[in-house]
Amino acid sequence: MTTLLRKVWESVSSRTNSSSSSSSQSSSDRRQQQQQLMVAYAESSTGAFDRIPFDIFMQILKILGPKESAKLSAVCKSWKLVVSDNHLWIYFLQNQHESWDSIFYAESHLRLGYPLQALPNQISQLSFMHIYGQRAQVPGSVIIDGGSGYCKYGWSKYVCPSGRSATFLEFGNIESPMYSRLRHFFATIYSRILSNCADFLLDVGNTLT
Amino acid sequence: MASAPENEKNASAPEKKTLTLKSMINNEEFVVDEHVALQSVTIKNMVDSDCAGDVIPVPTISGEILALVIEYCKNHANPSASEDDLKKADAGIVAKDIYTLIDLVLAANFLDIKGLLEVTSQKIADSIKDLPHQDVREIFGVENDYTPEEEAAVRAEHDWAFEGFP
């Protein structure tokens, strides 16, 4: 299996090299990442799983779900590499009980870090696995953080989240203010509090999306 | 192993044709009704493009595994089988040790039998689920290449997934 994968990789990589000058940078970058992952997978030992093709391994992880998959990253280094695949965690983020689609949209921009980058193909450090982990831990309170030059809001599982990290849903600053979105946000919260205080905390998650 | 009785009910079926599948690992041969074997997309493509001879050689799949695959195909080619029966039969086929399951998943992948691939992957996932990662290592014979510090760091990084595990 190892040699087979390596052969596939070689044939694909030579094709990439010949066409990379004409094709778009972002898609070839992504392909390269995928290839690097597959090569690492092929070269390292995953025990009896060695014989299982990469895509079937992925399929099994998808069946296992996010929590079980993340746990498997402690098995060995090569399993960690497979489990950390961004495509897997995009799948998990998009296939939640509650739809996280809109959050996912925001995340895919926010994971680029601040300041927001204009080019979406400049992928930075934050992995979707990391984002999923943060999401999985934050059913709790809402953070609204405003300053003279910026305003942001998000949520946290902590009662007093200040000073702790959280993934924020929206960022705004002087160049790109977010008054209208914030006004809508506060108005919704206000009306929820008026109508039903107990429902409020449960509903905030949906409101934000 | 040639003709199953349930085919007699199927009056509209054209004259019965059989294919012979031969495991290239231990040269075991299996005679199968064509409509049973055609659940494999790989074999269907071979037959459709007329490159299937009287005997279809199946590389890398042992006779033991091929027998399981054919059992699955027979069950699912039977039009009178209820969904419950099929579920029970599938469960019987995948009630095997992990090494057989991996052989089976590879066979299903090679022969391109979607249903079998799904039930086998599900079974492999079930056998990992809820196990501490130390046990997963043992079952699959994976060597732990982490130092204790590195392993602790990985766990700390994803501590949300390790709640309730030693």
Side-chain angles (χ1 to χ4, degrees):
Chain A
M1 181 49 57
T2 308
T3 46
L4 178 73
L5 271 173
R6 210 168 285 152
K7 251 180 238 159
V8 170
W9 144 249
E10 276 160 10
S11 71
V12 177
S13 73
S14 59
R15 219 182 306 146
T16 320
N17 289 342
S18 60
S19 65
S20 63
S21 52
S22 59
S23 71
S24 84
Q25 197 58 37
S26 72
S27 75
S28 78
D29 273 0
R30 209 170 305 136
R31 220 179 309 141
Q32 225 155 0
Q33 276 183 344
Q34 190 81 19
Q35 283 164 3
Q36 279 163 1
L37 189 63
M38 283 178 70
V39 169
Y41 175 69
E43 282 174 350
S44 54
S45 172
T46 49
F49 259 71
D50 255 358
R51 298 188 290 137
I52 295 188
F54 185 76
D55 54 336
I56 296 182
F57 203 151
M58 278 297 147
Q59 194 51 46
I60 292 171
L61 291 175
K62 283 179 185 173
I63 295 172
L64 276 171
K67 197 170 174 183
E68 290 289 326
S69 293
K71 230 171 60 191
L72 293 179
S73 62
V75 168
C76 70
K77 287 176 181 170
S78 50
W79 280 45
K80 179 176 190 241
L81 208 63
V82 176
V83 166
S84 312
D85 181 43
N86 259 342
H87 294 86
L88 178 67
W89 292 91
I90 290 173
Y91 172 86
F92 286 142
L93 281 165
Q94 287 178 321
N95 290 275
Q96 288 298 306
H97 294 304
E98 310 146 48
S99 169
W100 279 0
D101 276 356
S102 47
I103 296 175
F104 169 72
Y105 174 79
E107 298 283 18
S108 62
H109 288 80
L110 292 178
R111 70 193 283 266
L112 301 174
Y114 187 83
L116 296 178
Q117 285 158 8
L119 299 170
N121 55 6
Q122 290 174 356
I123 309 279
S124 75
Q125 313 77 10
L126 255 195
S127 75
F128 280 112
M129 185 181 185
H130 182 83
I131 288 173
Y132 190 98
Q134 285 195 318
R135 284 270 158 249
Q137 299 175 85
V138 285
S141 52
V142 177
I143 309 168
I144 301 162
D145 186 359
S148 52
Y150 69 99
C151 186
K152 59 194 179 187
Y153 63 85
W155 50 30
S156 167
K157 71 169 174 173
Y158 302 104
V159 184
C160 301
S162 54
R164 298 193 195 251
S165 69
T167 47
F168 293 107
L169 292 172
E170 302 276 8
F171 280 84
N173 58 21
I174 287 177
E175 279 94 12
S176 60
M178 47 186 289
Y179 304 129
S180 62
R181 276 173 298 175
L182 264 187
R183 200 180 305 125
H184 173 73
F185 174 71
F186 285 124
T188 316
I189 288 180
Y190 181 67
S191 61
R192 288 295 167 88
I193 293 175
L194 281 187
S195 61
N196 188 336
C197 217
D199 268 349
F200 166 63
L201 270 178
L202 294 172
D203 278 339
V204 162
N206 302 328
T207 314
L208 287 175
T209 68
Chain B
M1 199 174 275
S3 63
E6 67 265 21
N7 287 334
E8 284 156 20
K9 287 182 220 154
N10 199 347
S12 63
E15 159 194 6
K16 215 176 301 158
K17 248 185 95 181
T18 61
L19 294 172
T20 304
L21 305 182
K22 182 177 178 185
S23 159
M24 298 309 282
I25 290 202
N26 51 6
N27 293 323
E28 221 174 307
E29 291 191 355
F30 299 85
V31 181
V32 201
D33 287 347
E34 191 181 41
H35 77 284
V36 170
L38 289 188
Q39 286 181 76
S40 155
V41 177
T42 308
I43 292 177
K44 185 172 188 302
N45 288 342
M46 284 173 78
V47 170
D48 286 351
S49 57
D50 257 347
C51 55
D54 293 340
V55 176
I56 300 180
V58 185
T60 72
I61 299 175
S62 72
E64 178 205 0
I65 299 297
L66 199 51
L68 290 174
V69 173
I70 292 169
E71 186 187 339
Y72 174 91
C73 290
K74 272 191 182 160
N75 294 338
H76 285 258
N78 177 3
S80 58
S82 76
E83 212 153 282
D84 269 6
D85 291 345
L86 285 178
K87 251 190 196 154
K88 251 180 237 160
D90 287 353
I93 290 175
V94 297
K96 300 287 183 310
D97 67 87
I98 195 73
Y99 293 96
T100 312
L101 285 177
I102 290 178
D103 284 336
L104 197 55
V105 89
L106 292 175
N109 187 46
F110 176 79
L111 293 171
D112 203 347
I113 306 170
K114 194 162 169 279
L116 183 59
L117 189 59
E118 279 170 10
V119 292
T120 319
S121 302
Q122 180 70 53
K123 181 69 183 182
I124 294 177
D126 289 346
S127 61
I128 301 177
K129 214 174 172 69
D130 297 330
L131 286 181
H133 60 281
Q134 295 91 337
D135 290 8
V136 176
R137 258 181 221 142
E138 206 168 301
I139 290 172
F140 292 97
V142 184
E143 201 187 318
N144 178 12
D145 52 2
Y146 285 125
T147 64
E149 294 79 30
E150 283 172 336
E151 190 178 331
V154 172
R155 287 193 56 151
E157 193 184 336
H158 308 296
D159 56 351
W160 60 276
F162 286 92
E163 274 163 34
F165 279 91

